[in-house]
Amino acid sequence: MPDTSVFLQKACLQHRYIRTRDNSHIVERPERLRAVNVGLAAAIARLEEIMPHTAQPETGAGSTGSTNVEEDADELTKALGKLQLSTPSRAEPITRASVAFVHSEASVDLMNNPAVKFVHGDIERDVYLESLKSWAQDSQDKVNKGESEIPEGFSQGDLYLCPGSLDAIQGALGTICEAVDAVLEDSKKASGSSNAELSTKQAFVAVRPPGHHCGEDTPSGFCFVNNVAVGAAHAHLKHNVKRVVIFDIDLHHGNGTQAIAWGINEETYRKKLEAESGVPAGNPGLQVYYGSIHDVLSYPCEDGKAELIQAASVSIHGPHGQHIENIHLEPYASEQEFWDKLYPTQYLRLLKKAGEFIESTGGPRDDTLVFISCGFDACEHEYPSMSRHQRKVPAAFYHRFAKDAKAFAERYAQGRVISVLEGGYSDRALASGAMAHLTGLVDTGAASADEKWWSLENLTALEAATKKRRGGRPSQTTPPEPWLARTVEVFASIDSSHSVPAAPRVPIPPSNRTLRERKPLSSASTTTAKSSPATSPGKKGSVAKPRAHPKTGKATASTSSTSGSESDLTDVTGGTQSEKEDNAAPKKLPRVILKLGPSPNA
């Protein structure tokens, strides 16, 4: 089996915003996964170009690498069936790029999973998990009543749920645990102690909603459970992993992950002190290194709360059993400055401190696992509203960091790396980041990626080739270049966004408009109506100026009406429907006059 696998989970598409019909202000949306898949497909196409030439694997009705624009619907459906890359819990190499795709159907039960309880449970009763399950199950009923599905006290702007959210959350956690099993089974297989078919060295897990802002019982910032923390707990409880390294490269500080890591380390340190004082020692606890590169001016620190800024700036290594490193992103004037100054002297400190953590806790051993909380929202191609503080990184950063994290894992963790999707919201940031990141995980040095692959020109061509059409699948316009044709082919085989039914619309509440009594028009009123505008100045409907969403900065349109006794009855076009019908001029039939010519016999 290939050393690198990509894990996909169709259930994650079910997490949707249902509070209103207008979701233009929602950036954490199902379509994020489609953009990631575009980038992953492009990575495969590009990597195949530089791999030693072998027979092309069969991936569809033909192996020419182009899409037949003349296929009818039945043939296309049949072809897509053949393009399925793997069955659940079974990965198959499909390209020369040494990458396998796993279409996972794994899921966990929030109320009965040991790893979930390890992170989010309570000693007596799992209050938060019970509440989360209830919120999702009751969400549609709440919205139908005109209420919010998110309870008071939690952010209404960046948290939302729907009935499908529970399947998405449980599917995301199940897929991450499945990736952990595959990566850790790979080392057992190498030693001859495992017969598992599903094994790999590195994994990229494309799931949502993200998780690194969620603490033990505090959902925030689009996050309801902490995906990476649960994955680490699963590795500890099932595979006896004793040390976990977490590299968080999202634009925003992973305050939830850091808080959970702090609590785990605190408990492990307490056990150590008790053992030193003569208390019978049990199994040694889990030790976690958490390192983050982030923008300290952005969420969750943007409001200037002291405790959040302090947490996002902590650097502690050893005392009280804590191993935390936080590095703040800085602006740069050129890419040369970024690579010559910032990356080697500032950002690589994240890996250096992780190495010191490993050395101080026993050195390289087989009980270590590396995670990457991989957000693409620091990318240079992210929405301007998201990167408004100008703390960003070039798209090539995701390739270089993946390579360096992989080299770190080779030295300290037998090469075992699991990268889990966190943030990233614009399609271009997600596609370019995913392409660069996967090529970095696969990069062996013998055949290295070319940074021109994710140049602006190539990204524009990629977007045109994979443009979404009705049904969610890419446009069938034949791409002009072979790598684009191959990208479309691979994308069609891994993306399932087109097969998910649309979310139910929020029902329109009953109207409180009333019809006024109609009065017969007199000749005087008719004359007045002809000489007057359709609506009087006091009742004229108006459109409010667009308002900026507090989280994204995007403008959202709203409607309002001016004061007046009947202003509630008018819409933005001026007047109720009944008034429009009354004021409309009666239709006149055209006059047709037939003129007879001279008689033919005359």
Side-chain angles (χ1 to χ4, degrees):
M1 172 164 174
D3 286 343
T4 305
S5 294
V6 176
F7 287 76
L8 309 172
Q9 173 57 264
K10 183 178 177 179
C12 292
L13 296 165
Q14 297 182 37
H15 177 58
R16 295 175 179 271
Y17 181 79
I18 62 170
R19 204 174 300 162
T20 65
R21 288 177 180 242
D22 178 17
N23 60 2
S24 60
H25 60 291
I26 301 299
V27 295
E28 205 299 287
R29 64 203 196 285
E31 291 78 9
R32 294 178 62 230
L33 295 183
R34 183 187 190 277
V36 168
N37 289 340
V38 168
L40 297 175
I44 296 299
R46 287 300 199 178
L47 287 169
E48 286 182 344
E49 291 180 337
I50 61 174
M51 291 295 174
H53 183 74
T54 58
Q56 180 82 358
E58 188 73 18
T59 57
S63 57
T64 60
S66 63
T67 304
N68 183 1
V69 299
E70 303 299 330
E71 281 184 312
D72 60 27
D74 292 337
E75 290 175 341
L76 181 59
T77 301
K78 188 183 299 183
L80 288 174
K82 292 181 181 179
L83 290 171
Q84 184 68 27
L85 301 187
S86 66
T87 55
S89 300
R90 180 184 178 90
E92 299 175 0
I94 53 133
T95 73
R96 300 190 307 274
S98 189
V99 177
F101 283 81
V102 180
H103 293 266
S104 176
E105 291 187 356
S107 182
V108 303
D109 184 347
L110 283 183
M111 306 306 302
N112 294 294
N113 183 269
V116 176
K117 286 176 174 287
F118 185 90
V119 175
H120 295 292
D122 299 320
I123 295 176
E124 297 181 358
R125 180 171 161 231
D126 300 324
V127 177
Y128 173 65
L129 295 174
E130 291 176 359
S131 299
L132 176 58
K133 187 174 182 178
S134 175
W135 299 341
Q137 291 174 337
D138 299 341
S139 58
Q140 190 68 62
D141 291 338
K142 288 275 190 181
V143 170
N144 290 347
K145 295 176 183 177
E147 304 172 8
S148 173
E149 78 283 9
I150 301 297
E152 289 187 26
F154 296 107
S155 173
Q156 303 293 316
D158 54 19
L159 293 175
Y160 68 87
L161 288 167
C162 71
S165 296
L166 188 60
D167 288 337
I169 291 169
Q170 295 184 148
L173 292 177
T175 304
I176 291 168
C177 291
E178 186 175 41
V180 169
D181 292 341
V183 168
L184 292 173
E185 287 292 345
D186 182 76
S187 23
K188 293 180 183 178
K189 191 173 182 180
S191 63
S193 59
S194 171
N195 295 318
E197 291 185 10
L198 183 60
S199 62
T200 189
K201 242 184 182 181
Q202 296 93 35
F204 178 69
V205 187
V207 293
R208 60 176 287 276
H212 73 150
H213 290 307
C214 184
E216 181 181 334
D217 58 358
T218 52
S220 66
F222 311 132
C223 308
F224 292 93
V225 294
N226 198 297
N227 300 324
V228 167
V230 171
H234 178 74
H236 172 61
L237 297 174
K238 182 175 179 180
H239 299 280
N240 205 31
V241 166
K242 296 294 190 297
R243 298 177 302 180
V244 166
V245 171
I246 301 173
F247 298 127
D248 192 332
I249 57 175
D250 192 273
L251 174 68
H252 308 100
H253 179 237
N255 53 319
T257 306
Q258 180 172 305
I260 291 169
W262 191 284
I264 292 172
N265 289 337
E266 187 175 42
E267 177 65 16
T268 299
Y269 187 64
R270 181 187 64 79
K271 290 181 179 180
K272 177 184 176 183
L273 294 179
E274 289 177 350
E276 291 174 352
S277 63
V279 176
N283 291 329
L286 177 64
Q287 292 178 288
V288 181
Y289 166 87
Y290 174 76
S292 174
I293 304 174
H294 56 267
D295 176 16
V296 75
L297 299 176
S298 290
Y299 182 89
C301 306
E302 196 162 31
D303 292 337
K305 292 183 179 179
E307 64 275 17
L308 293 174
I309 297 173
Q310 290 166 2
S313 307
V314 166
S315 178
I316 181 172
H317 302 280
H320 305 284
Q322 298 301 334
H323 305 275
I324 308 291
E325 180 69 12
N326 284 290
I327 300 171
H328 299 162
L329 286 168
E330 298 179 18
Y332 57 92
S334 65
E335 286 204 22
Q336 182 176 353
E337 179 187 355
F338 180 89
W339 293 116
D340 292 349
K341 179 183 175 182
L342 292 180
Y343 188 79
T345 62
Q346 298 292 325
Y347 303 155
L348 278 184
R349 195 167 78 242
L350 209 66
L351 280 75
K352 178 183 175 183
K353 291 297 182 181
E356 293 175 2
F357 160 71
I358 297 296
E359 296 293 351
S360 66
T361 55
R365 296 196 308 252
D366 63 355
D367 63 351
T368 307
L369 183 60
V370 177
F371 283 92
I372 302 175
S373 271
C374 189
F376 297 122
D377 42 1
C379 181
E380 60 186 317
H381 301 303
E382 185 53 274
Y383 292 129
S385 59
M386 194 65 68
S387 55
R388 54 190 173 276
H389 302 295
Q390 301 305 311
R391 267 64 175 177
K392 56 182 74 174
V393 298
F397 165 83
Y398 298 102
H399 173 263
R400 176 69 180 274
F401 190 86
K403 281 183 61 177
D404 291 340
K406 179 181 175 182
F408 173 91
E410 292 286 355
R411 180 176 179 182
Y412 292 114
Q414 299 184 357
R416 301 178 298 199
V417 181
I418 300 172
S419 183
V420 180
L421 179 66
E422 294 285 359
Y425 304 100
S426 82
D427 286 354
R428 183 169 290 180
L430 288 162
S432 62
M435 186 192 336
H437 191 63
L438 181 58
T439 57
L441 289 176
V442 175
D443 199 321
T444 60
S448 296
D450 185 344
E451 293 186 10
K452 293 180 181 178
W453 290 352
W454 43 84
S455 68
L456 187 59
E457 180 182 358
N458 282 329
L459 290 176
T460 302
L462 176 64
E463 290 161 2
T466 58
K467 184 177 179 181
K468 189 175 181 180
R469 65 177 180 86
R470 183 178 290 274
R473 288 168 293 188
S475 170
Q476 292 188 12
T477 302
T478 304
E481 298 183 52
W483 76 272
L484 287 173
R486 179 62 175 151
T487 296
V488 171
E489 188 178 18
V490 175
F491 173 75
S493 67
I494 65 175
D495 186 68
S496 56
S497 60
H498 62 277
S499 63
V500 177
R505 288 289 192 180
V506 179
I508 301 176
S511 174
N512 59 359
R513 296 181 177 183
T514 57
L515 294 176
R516 292 177 294 175
E517 182 181 356
R518 296 186 179 185
K519 296 179 181 180
L521 293 176
S522 63
S523 59
S525 62
T526 302
T527 304
T528 304
K530 289 181 179 179
S531 60
S532 302
T535 56
S536 64
K539 299 178 184 178
K540 187 177 182 180
S542 62
V543 180
K545 294 181 179 180
R547 297 176 297 178
H549 187 271
K551 295 292 291 180
T552 65
K554 286 188 175 182
T556 57
S558 61
T559 59
S560 63
S561 55
T562 57
S563 59
S565 59
E566 297 167 8
S567 59
D568 290 341
L569 304 179
T570 60
D571 61 20
V572 294
T573 59
T576 64
Q577 183 65 27
S578 60
E579 289 176 320
K580 294 175 192 174
E581 292 172 356
D582 287 343
N583 293 336
K587 293 182 180 180
K588 294 182 179 180
L589 295 176
R591 292 180 60 190
V592 179
I593 300 175
L594 298 177
K595 292 185 178 182
L596 299 178
S599 172
N601 298 325

